[in-house]
Amino acid sequence: FYDDLRKTIKHKKFQEVLVLIGDFNAKVGNQKIDDIVGPFGLGTKNDPGDLLINFCLESKLFICNTWFEQKESARHTWTSPNGIIKNQIDFICVSKRFRNAVTNAKVRPGADCGSDHNPVLVNMNVKLKRPVKKRIENKKWDLDKTKQLEIKSSFTRTLTQEIQKLHNDYNPMNTEENWNTLKKALDITGKEVIGYRKSTGKKKWMTQEILDLMENRKKFKKCRNEEEKAKYKELKRKIQRLCRKERENMINRECEEAERLERIDSARFHRKVNELTWNVKKMSNSLNDANGNEIFEPEQILKRWAEYCANLYKEERPDLIVNEVREEDIPEFSVIQIKTVIAKLNNNKSPGPDYIPAEFIKLLDNVGLLFLTDIINAIYRTGIIPNDFLQSIFIPLPKISKAKKLC
């Protein structure tokens, strides 16, 4: 038991509060032992009690309900079926670091909980650090605007100006710098002309009529006479009927909107379907490693994902014979060829780490196309690929909530 417990708590961080609660089937006695067992225990220490004390010593815990004075007749946590034998075998152990946070601990022998064990209560006053959430910039461009002719013209014109501004000390062989220049120009233009898509959130079916009825219902909440109680029940039933009706009406409206979008805009149709059918599956805060052991540290979890992806895409290929490439064998692409390929790109696809969607690339004019063509030709001539082209984004999608095993 204690070996399994050690495996479980070994991932605990120093600043985290560790609380062990349960029936340890151990008696720690009523004698003070260091700063682990207090003087308000019960009975005589036994062998399982020694195991618990040693574990607390090793894990830097103290047994709370032996440190707060309570009548000896009220310290027992278990009573035998015949009601004669009473022992203290249920304990709450807390990290010594948070000793001052424990303000009281007591047993409730009079609690009617349908068990031969009595509940043990501990009052703790822990000041938890407020987590600082990293603000993630919304990178979902409002790509519906790219279908408007005015926006297209404005985007192309602004992009050309931005490229010319950033096009200083141009070196056709520096693929990384040239790509970053084009990416920066696209990003600046996108923010200025296109902007991000605003999150609309879920539409609420709640109406003002329902809210008014709820407010009126509050008046009869604590009434005691039969007439007012009947009025309260009547309002309650009416509110429930209206809620069901409005919710159903909202769903019907959303479905009609989805049917309309299916005929005119497949991308918005799929977004609408996702809104109606979205089922959130929560991510787990831990994963199982290759041996099945649970890991909690973010660094270990990232390492596990890296191992999994490396094995997933591992290929055994024979060593390639590298031949010297002659200058005349290196392809040279024209602007027309690049433009033809760009025209075949699909819209409404997730962008890569550079957050540049295909819709932006399609709006390049001759200046932008020439710049992009130079970058591609330079990649073939130098063999140097921009870092953005070598990165991928992996988004884990759990099949079940809080899944820990990588399939």
Side-chain angles (χ1 to χ4, degrees):
F1 168 74
Y2 287 104
D3 288 339
D4 292 338
L5 204 54
R6 288 185 184 92
K7 290 179 183 178
T8 302
I9 68 171
K10 72 178 181 180
H11 303 288
K12 186 191 83 70
K13 296 180 181 178
F14 173 74
Q15 66 271 22
E16 292 177 337
V17 186
L18 176 61
V19 181
L20 297 183
I21 304 173
D23 174 11
F24 293 89
N25 199 26
K27 296 168 66 176
V28 297
N30 56 6
Q31 300 296 319
K32 183 179 177 183
I33 301 176
D34 296 330
D35 55 352
I36 300 170
V37 180
F40 304 111
L42 184 67
T44 306
K45 183 177 63 170
N46 60 6
D47 291 340
D50 285 329
L51 292 175
L52 176 60
I53 292 168
N54 290 333
F55 178 79
C56 290
L57 178 64
E58 175 189 332
S59 305
K60 298 181 180 179
L61 303 170
F62 76 101
I63 303 173
C64 295
N65 47 315
T66 62
W67 285 95
F68 293 88
E69 187 173 4
Q70 194 174 7
K71 289 191 298 183
E72 190 168 340
S73 60
R75 295 177 193 172
H76 64 280
T77 64
W78 174 80
T79 305
S80 64
N82 58 15
I84 298 174
I85 302 173
K86 297 181 179 181
N87 286 325
Q88 186 187 47
I89 58 175
D90 300 89
F91 301 102
I92 297 180
C93 308
V94 178
S95 302
K96 292 179 183 178
R97 182 169 181 260
F98 295 91
R99 190 184 196 95
N100 292 337
V102 180
T103 58
N104 195 14
K106 60 173 63 177
V107 181
R108 295 287 189 183
D112 183 13
C113 54
S115 172
D116 54 355
H117 289 262
N118 298 326
V120 183
L121 306 181
V122 165
N123 295 341
M124 291 186 69
N125 184 17
V126 181
K127 293 182 179 179
L128 300 176
K129 184 179 179 181
R130 180 175 293 180
V132 179
K133 293 184 179 180
K134 293 182 180 179
R135 186 175 179 181
I136 301 174
E137 187 179 3
N138 181 12
K139 284 285 187 179
K140 292 183 179 179
W141 301 102
D142 191 3
L143 297 177
D144 290 336
K145 290 183 179 179
T146 58
K147 299 174 183 177
Q148 303 173 23
L149 291 177
E150 291 183 7
I151 297 294
K152 283 184 178 181
S153 302
S154 177
F155 185 94
T156 303
R157 185 170 57 254
T158 307
L159 178 60
T160 302
Q161 294 171 358
E162 290 297 333
I163 291 175
Q164 290 171 346
K165 284 181 191 176
L166 300 171
H167 197 274
N168 297 324
D169 301 326
Y170 175 66
N171 181 0
M173 292 295 106
N174 193 334
T175 57
E176 184 71 38
E177 184 178 334
N178 293 340
W179 166 248
N180 287 333
T181 298
L182 180 59
K183 181 176 71 171
K184 186 176 180 180
L186 286 165
D187 187 64
I188 292 172
T189 307
K191 289 177 181 177
E192 183 178 336
V193 180
I194 303 297
Y196 297 132
R197 193 171 69 215
K198 294 181 180 179
S199 178
T200 56
K202 293 183 179 178
K203 291 185 178 180
K204 296 182 179 179
W205 45 263
M206 187 66 66
T207 63
Q208 189 59 43
E209 181 186 2
I210 296 175
L211 293 174
D212 292 340
L213 286 171
M214 287 180 172
E215 196 65 31
N216 191 25
R217 185 182 60 179
K218 288 181 183 178
K219 299 175 184 178
F220 303 96
K221 176 71 175 177
K222 296 182 180 180
C223 296
R224 296 185 178 180
N225 63 64
E226 294 301 322
E227 184 180 349
E228 290 177 335
K229 284 182 179 179
K231 182 66 175 176
Y232 177 83
K233 290 180 180 179
E234 181 187 347
L235 286 171
K236 181 180 177 182
R237 286 193 293 269
K238 186 175 182 180
I239 290 169
Q240 288 175 340
R241 284 196 302 270
L242 281 173
C243 286
R244 285 194 293 268
K245 180 182 176 182
E246 291 300 328
R247 186 163 54 241
E248 187 176 348
N249 289 340
M250 186 203 72
I251 293 173
N252 289 335
R253 288 194 300 269
E254 294 290 337
C255 290
E256 289 173 2
E257 177 67 9
E259 290 175 357
R260 186 184 71 83
L261 291 173
E262 185 181 15
R263 294 190 295 269
I264 61 174
D265 193 328
S266 61
R268 290 172 62 191
F269 165 69
H270 286 294
R271 283 206 298 268
K272 178 63 68 176
V273 171
N274 285 337
E275 288 176 12
L276 293 172
T277 61
W278 181 250
N279 182 20
V280 178
K281 292 184 174 63
K282 296 182 180 179
M283 293 291 296
S284 173
N285 293 324
S286 62
L287 282 180
N288 290 343
D289 63 14
N291 299 320
N293 299 318
E294 195 169 2
I295 53 177
F296 297 86
E297 294 296 328
E299 295 80 8
Q300 292 179 329
I301 291 174
L302 284 174
K303 185 178 178 182
R304 173 63 183 134
W305 275 111
E307 291 174 357
Y308 173 76
C309 293
N311 291 329
L312 186 65
Y313 295 103
K314 184 178 180 181
E315 290 185 354
E316 295 182 0
R317 296 182 179 180
D319 294 335
L320 297 176
I321 300 174
V322 180
N323 297 320
E324 186 177 349
V325 180
R326 296 176 298 176
E327 185 71 25
E328 57 269 22
D329 293 334
I330 299 175
E332 185 77 17
F333 298 100
S334 66
V335 173
I336 296 175
Q337 288 175 310
I338 298 299
K339 187 175 181 179
T340 303
V341 173
I342 290 174
K344 295 179 181 179
L345 294 176
N346 293 324
N347 292 336
N348 300 308
K349 296 296 181 182
S350 297
D354 52 23
Y355 292 103
I356 303 299
E359 287 84 347
F360 285 10
I361 302 295
K362 288 183 175 182
L363 294 176
L364 292 172
D365 66 350
N366 290 333
V367 174
L369 286 170
L370 181 60
F371 199 76
L372 181 60
T373 303
D374 287 345
I375 293 172
I376 294 170
N377 286 327
I379 290 172
Y380 275 87
R381 285 195 296 272
T382 62
I384 300 173
I385 303 174
N387 289 329
D388 284 344
F389 293 16
L390 301 174
Q391 295 180 8
S392 299
I393 296 176
F394 282 81
I395 301 177
L397 300 175
K399 293 182 178 179
I400 58 174
S401 290
K402 298 188 176 181
K404 297 179 181 180
K405 185 179 179 181
L406 301 182
C407 298

